[in-house]
Amino acid sequence: MLIEARNLTKSFPTGDGSLPVLNGVSLDLAAGETLALTGESGSGKSTLLHLLAALDQPDSGSILLGGEEIATMGDTGRAAIRRDRIGLVFQQFNLIPSLDTGANLAFQARLAGRHDAAWCATLADRLGLADLLDRYPEQLSGGQQQRVAIGRALAPRPPVLLADEPTGNLDEATADGVLDMILELVTETGAGLLMVTHSTRLAARLSRRLHLSQGSVA
Ligand SMILES: Nc1ncnc2c1ncn2[C@@H]1O[C@H](COP(=O)(O)OP(=O)(O)OP(=O)(O)O)[C@@H](O)[C@H]1O
Ligand SMILES: [Mg+2]
């Protein structure tokens, strides 16, 4: 099992007290499995993804990543987990503004010590970015930035790809094409995929679906 999460809770402090966002969420992700995470805006999808990505910690509950407990791990350990085991496509892309497309694509893999120029070139080609390698993020469209973010996450060949609405900015036809690419690449690398999507049409193309409603699995 790539991910075994149990009874995750998470609250955020707000002006008038604490806002409960996740109320005991459990999920599993097996190697080669593709899981769609759906739920209305504010239901806690991104919060859950950030916990699974070892970016943030739950208030309680357990997250086994490849059998290792990350819920209670310190900052240094979690940084290593993010570098070595997780590919993350953020809802807001988070490309590095001072790096061109080629350098953004290679960034995660370089950080992980797993840069492979040929694989990077393949990703650029497959994601339709080969002619944009010298451009900076501000010179790219939203959909192009989204594809750079997908390539950057896949470049180190992570065992787990977590993607937060990776096709949210794209028209239907382009979104279908990008999902084709993600599914092909995930199959090729043998990774497990957890993808947030608002589209029931896209969710139906993944092997399993998990629906969040007000911070609980519905
Ligand atoms: N750092 C934070 N501090 C305070 N509240 C937060 C924080 N992050 C998220 N929240 C709140 O937690 C709830 C869930 O947010 P989250 O981003 O997980 O939702 P989501 O399901 O990803 O929504 P969307 O589909 O709009 O992206 C929201 O009410 C949000 O305002
Ligand atoms: Mg979100």
Side-chain angles (χ1 to χ4, degrees):
M1 201 58 78
L2 294 174
I3 300 179
E4 293 176 75
R6 291 292 173 273
N7 299 316
L8 299 177
T9 68
K10 182 73 179 173
S11 303
F12 290 111
T14 63
D16 35 35
S18 154
L19 173 76
V21 173
L22 297 178
N23 307 309
V25 172
S26 300
L27 70 86
D28 289 334
L29 183 72
E33 191 171 38
T34 59
L35 176 60
L37 180 60
T38 57
E40 66 187 36
S41 182
S43 58
K45 304 180 299 294
S46 295
T47 302
L48 176 59
L49 229 62
H50 293 165
L51 297 183
L52 301 177
L55 273 175
D56 199 357
Q57 292 183 291
D59 298 331
S60 66
S62 160
I63 305 170
L64 294 181
L65 211 98
E68 207 174 347
E69 180 60 68
I70 63 163
T72 51
M73 196 178 263
D75 287 347
T76 315
R78 284 189 292 118
I81 292 281
R82 290 198 296 274
R83 190 189 60 213
D84 295 333
R85 305 195 49 83
I86 302 283
L88 180 59
V89 181
F90 291 93
Q91 194 166 5
Q92 313 296 344
F93 322 137
N94 294 5
L95 298 180
I96 298 163
S98 59
L99 297 181
D100 66 17
T101 294
N104 261 294
L105 272 177
F107 184 80
Q108 273 318 115
R110 287 211 163 100
L111 208 64
R114 293 202 293 277
H115 177 57
D116 171 345
W119 172 235
C120 240
T122 301
L123 283 170
D125 202 38
R126 297 270 290 278
L127 291 165
L129 298 168
D131 294 333
L132 304 173
L133 292 175
D134 295 335
R135 291 220 209 156
Y136 289 84
E138 64 180 18
Q139 301 168 319
L140 298 173
S141 74
Q144 290 165 341
Q145 291 184 47
Q146 210 148 30
R147 284 179 275 144
V148 178
I150 293 165
R152 178 179 63 175
L154 285 167
R157 300 177 189 270
V160 177
L161 180 67
L162 304 171
D164 204 342
E165 293 191 59
T167 61
N169 268 17
L170 307 174
D171 60 81
E172 273 201 4
T174 312
D176 277 324
V178 169
L179 182 58
D180 288 340
M181 289 177 215
I182 293 176
L183 292 176
E184 277 170 30
L185 291 167
V186 158
T187 305
E188 259 171 59
T189 60
L193 169 70
L194 174 51
M195 182 178 102
V196 174
T197 178
H198 280 282
S199 159
T200 44
R201 194 173 50 84
L202 295 182
R205 297 188 49 198
L206 274 56
S207 56
R208 228 163 27 94
R209 178 167 166 188
L210 189 78
H211 188 75
L212 270 192
S213 179
Q214 297 183 3
S216 298
V217 175

